[in-house]
Amino acid sequence: MTDAPSAVARHRAFEQIWGNPPGWGRLAAVNHTTVGLRFILTALAFFLVGGVLAMMMRAQLAAAGNGFLDSETYNQIFTMHGTVMMFLFAIPMLEGFAIYLLPKMLGARDLAYPRLGAFAYWCYLFGGLILLGGLAAGVAPRSGWFMYTPLSGSTYSPGVNADVWLIGVTFSEISALCGGVELAASILRVRAAGMRLSRMPLFAWYMLVTALMILVGFPPLILGSILLEVERAFGWPFFDVARGGDPLLWQHLFWMFGHPEVYIIFLPAAGLVSTMIPTFAQRPIVGRVWILASVLAVGVLSFALWGHHMSTAGIAGHAAAFFSIASMLIAVPTAVQFFAWLATLYAGTPALRLPMLYLAGFLAIFVLGGLTGVMLALLPFNWQAHDTHFVVAHLHYVLIGGMVFPLLAAAYYWMPHVTGRMPSPVLGRWAFWLIFAGFNLTFLPMHLTGMLGMPRRVHAYAADSGWEGLNLVSSLGGFLQAAGVGLFILDIFLHARVGRRAPPNPWRASGIEWAMATPSPSYNFAAIPNLAAMPEPGIEDPLWSRPDLGAELAGGQGYLADPGRGHRETLSVELLSGQPRHIIILPGSTWLPLWSALALLLCCLCLLFKVYAALPAPAVLAAVLLACWAWRSGLRADPRPLDAGNGLWLLPHAVARHPPGWSGTKLTLVADAALFGSLLFGYAYLWTVAPQWPPPVYISRTVPAPLACGAALTVALAAVMVARRPRMLARPRLCAGWLAVAALAGLAALWSWAHIGMDAVPPPTSHAYAAVSLALVCYAAFHVAIGVILAGLGALRCLAGYVSPLRSLDVRISGLWWIYTWVTGLIALAVLYGPPQPIWAGAAIC
């Protein structure tokens, strides 16, 4: 074993490589620990804002006919409370925990894309500031956090109030998608040596399913927000019934995101529960395989539930029955997890330590929320309780019980890991009982006010309604709950500064994240663990199998224990077996994520204030910054194998067949395909419900160019495919020439799409059919434009020496993008020109 002085020297060397710059340079940090804590603290700040808004609503509803808030102010506060809690607190907080914990749990030093994580944080922060800026300026959205049309349209919501929501939320959703890509790719490829996919920590499995759900579930809302903003700004009638649109299309797109989001919130919290309960029971989780199956089932079934939010909106009876059955069915895999937790506690020797107290509160409250959820899944009861306070109570029992209590438990559980100090059991228990009692006093009476007929989203009610006493109890409970949250925050910050020093692994946990010093160093592990020698079950609970693992890693017994190369390095492993495949060389601190996010912020502000003439400047700046981001990646010479330790020599990831960049591109295209599928759904939905689709009055003004467009797309794809061949990669100038041909063909395709959009598609303000058709054209043209940029950048990198038969990632990513662009482009052409669409050749449509 390495002696102590060399271990200290190794620590200092690693800290110099992985540490953050001092002063203002900390803003350039990309380390996952720093980024994760930024997400957590920023989400906590937004949570406090949302809590203050909630208390203002409870003060207004405490008495009948109260004049504390007028209807306009109440609607803004109500909308912002839901928006802040759903979009700026819940998902960012859970992503922050995942960004902080996952590399430590997986035995890695960082995530696959440190710069992407930093970029995601800045997008999240700036999007949230747009929303809070609107609230401070008195122009916050007032149509509800769900922004139902036509109420959120320009007719009933003039001004910028709704635009603040649409642009701010969409900017924040970019952050969520970036986080989904980063987390999924990291879980699949960046793990400790020998950590098989099937033996990953349960929290990693929960987050893998959650990340994939984010990539599929968030694009419908992003698309809906874009369509609604375009309708408000330019008059394209996607949701206007008089011109062929339908306001229910917004509800479909919103709840395609909205109900999976409930489980996107629940699953990471449940993953935290599945991690903590075995620790306090001091035995492995019961039914691990059943839990994994139930998590996958929840991830799939959650996408079949969106229509139960629309049971009273007039959807067909058989569709309503389907959504009702699916809503009841999803209770089964959720119950599997619940009974596995109970069985683990029953089979072990549970200790009621502070985090376990909050877990017990979660188990009690979530059961009640689940029972009312089954009630609401029944159509006859749903019709009676819809849009009453009963639904408000159910929502909060599920979300606070299913998310906030596990988060409070996780904060106490992992805070010694962050600060190296233990929390106060006295303050923590007082905070729990205040929160638990206040929560039930707040929301339990709401079930009764809902059953008595009190509607949600109203700012006042009559004195003879019979609701006043129950509302007063709810308001008192809300302030009691707020006092508990304040005490919790005080406890956290006090213990971080003056708490008792935490011993190593204070909870006697089994997770590998406790095999490091606390507070955790910036590089996590002095050596990457080698779990291949462990027995199969031991990989799931490594510290229970090898209690001395932390000392071994600190002494350099593992992979990449030598900091001499001066790079930030971690292992890339084979997907299933976890065998080491390559060394990932990660970027250090950089300002590019911040500058890129600021450029996108300028784009959003131009859209918000409708200064469209100024939009090209920040858009070009953003494109240039992202191109600089890509240019700094890669190597200019074929590398030699590097010593990974323990006799293992590995090549850098730049020559890998499936490096992190390849996985990230494929995951990005999954989200892209979900957005395209949502656009096709909107087209098909309007075609189904709108009369005379397409309208018979449209006559083409010129002969379109679908064949020319398809031919140009095919030539661009073929040129990139030729450039990917090994013989071309070995001749950089020839490879660059083929990529240049692809770029030129892409420009021709872009001209064809512009021709179709301007000359063949009818004016988009005339009818929803024309608006959706032009939206398809814009989607296809946008992807062609990106393809042109990728091909041109690839050609330049060929000439600069970044490409060879071994270092072919630039060309392969360009080829993957063009394959996707070719497929979606042909589908768009088929939709635009195929039957029963108009044959735009100069003849009228009958």
Side-chain angles (χ1 to χ4, degrees), residues 288-343:
R288 174 185 166 90
V289 175
W290 286 98
I291 289 177
L292 294 179
S294 69
V295 172
L296 294 173
V298 167
V300 173
L301 288 174
S302 65
F303 288 94
L305 308 183
W306 84 85
H308 84 222
H309 292 273
M310 304 170 60
S311 296
T312 61
I315 62 175
H318 61 276
F322 168 80
F323 290 121
S324 175
I325 294 170
S327 301
M328 289 183 281
L329 185 62
I330 202 168
V332 176
T334 306
V336 168
Q337 299 173 63
F338 192 86
F339 284 116
W341 297 329
L342 293 181

Side-chain angles (χ1 to χ4, degrees), residues 416-441:
H417 200 284
V418 177
T419 65
R421 297 180 182 272
M422 297 296 290
S424 165
V426 177
L427 287 179
R429 290 178 185 273
W430 272 101
F432 167 78
W433 288 113
L434 287 173
I435 294 172
F436 186 80
F439 172 82
N440 285 287
L441 280 176

